[in-house]
Amino acid sequence: MTSTPQPPREPHPDHDRGLEFDLSTLMSRRSLGMFLGAGTAAALAACTPGGSGGSSTSASAAATSAAASPTLTRAIAECGAEMPQETAGPFPGDGSNGPNVLEASGVVRRDITSSFGTSTSTAQGVPLTVTLTLLDNANGCIPLAGAAVYAWHCDRDGRYSMYDSALHSENYLRGVQVADANGQVIFTTIYPGAYNGRWPHIHFEVFESMSNATAAGQVLAVSQIALTEAACRQVYASAGYELSARNFPRTTLKSDNVFGDDGGIYQLATMSGSVAAGYAAGLKVTV
């Protein structure tokens, strides 16, 4: 779908005001999730890393290591610091601020480039594959298999589906995936744009399980992925990202109101690729 270039927009007045702004919402969702999830706690313990049922933690770790990818092995070796908790921002689409895409049939998917349901429009842009490796910090950083991740981000013009006035009927660039035995989830999407006030990023929430992610379940973590400067410069110099090319120089990692406190050292993705071939981004998420 070809979008009509829009003039640079100022960020929403409530946009990404920090964890304090979202804390009351997050805590209410945690409380509700704990209440609703009580009946399934035993079942989750049997299949969640560190649970009391099934094999021991050491046996689970050994079995995982046997089939672990080099990315997972490196992530476990470097594990230690938990992923910083961040704001979900004003456009989460998770029911905490307006619409809730998590209740919609079709949200569980790997490819999030197109809308689903009443629309099949596709967000245009440079291809991007995002791999998150979830690690359980409380249990020796073993893979958090069975956890679920909801990821979302803006389009190449810096607009969010479901919220922008021109995109109310769209829900693209949003989706949920369940972590595999290596604790990994993969999303196929497009490179997000840059808009005033923020460094280019991708939002995500981690839930205990898929059932929790598609209901009012317990949120384990809320954070954001920071994209690298080199990749941003290359992508924003390509056709279709003209608005992003103008907005990108206005905010640095250090001036960003989410990543600025530590320069995004725990949230900066490892990236490779090119505009022609597409990009791959990877991030270790320790919760």
Side-chain angles (χ1 to χ4, degrees):
M1 179 180 69
T2 302
S3 58
T4 301
Q6 302 291 324
R9 300 180 298 123
E10 291 302 317
H12 187 285
D14 288 339
H15 188 70
D16 293 0
R17 286 169 48 183
L19 183 58
E20 294 80 6
F21 181 70
D22 288 345
L23 190 56
S24 60
T25 297
L26 178 60
M27 291 306 295
S28 66
R29 292 180 65 192
R30 283 181 183 269
S31 299
L32 181 58
M34 293 174 69
F35 174 76
L36 294 177
T40 59
L44 287 172
C47 61
T48 301
S52 59
S55 302
S56 66
T57 297
S58 58
S60 298
T64 300
S65 298
S69 66
T71 300
L72 174 61
T73 302
R74 182 170 61 254
I76 293 176
E78 297 172 352
C79 185
E82 288 194 4
M83 175 65 61
Q85 297 288 302
E86 306 290 5
T87 173
F91 312 122
D94 61 1
S96 62
N97 183 23
N100 189 356
V101 74
L102 298 180
E103 296 179 340
S105 175
V107 70
V108 180
R109 59 202 184 130
R110 173 170 173 159
D111 188 337
I112 63 174
T113 54
S114 297
S115 289
F116 58 93
T118 59
S119 174
T120 57
S121 299
T122 299
Q124 301 298 310
V126 173
L128 173 67
T129 299
V130 179
T131 302
L132 299 180
T133 301
L134 310 181
L135 302 175
D136 187 350
N137 194 51
N139 289 288
C141 286
I142 60 175
L144 199 59
V149 174
Y150 167 44
W152 72 97
H153 63 82
C154 68
D155 66 11
R156 66 182 179 184
D157 289 328
R159 305 176 303 172
Y160 285 85
S161 66
M162 304 174 70
Y163 289 87
D164 189 272
S165 59
L167 302 177
H168 282 168
S169 62
E170 306 296 346
N171 52 26
Y172 53 51
L173 309 182
R174 300 178 184 274
V176 175
Q177 280 283 288
V178 64
D180 63 17
N182 288 330
Q184 293 182 324
V185 296
I186 300 174
F187 292 95
T188 301
T189 184
I190 57 103
Y191 205 98
Y195 53 89
N196 289 336
R198 285 304 318 275
W199 182 265
H201 60 282
I202 297 171
H203 294 267
F204 67 92
E205 294 178 339
V206 181
F207 296 83
E208 277 187 330
S209 66
M210 182 68 80
S211 60
N212 281 338
T214 53
Q218 183 175 5
V219 181
L220 299 180
V222 181
S223 197
Q224 300 178 27
I225 307 168
L227 304 179
T228 64
E229 180 177 359
C232 288
R233 290 190 180 279
Q234 293 166 3
V235 171
Y236 298 157
S238 66
Y241 284 90
E242 289 78 12
L243 280 176
S244 293
R246 292 197 292 270
N247 291 331
F248 180 60
R250 297 170 179 166
T251 306
T252 65
L253 263 174
K254 290 185 177 181
S255 67
D256 183 83
N257 61 1
V258 170
F259 304 125
D261 55 348
D262 60 7
I265 58 173
Y266 298 115
Q267 295 150 283
L268 191 62
T270 299
M271 301 194 67
S272 62
S274 66
V275 171
Y279 286 84
L283 186 68
K284 172 189 67 179
V285 180
T286 305
V287 298

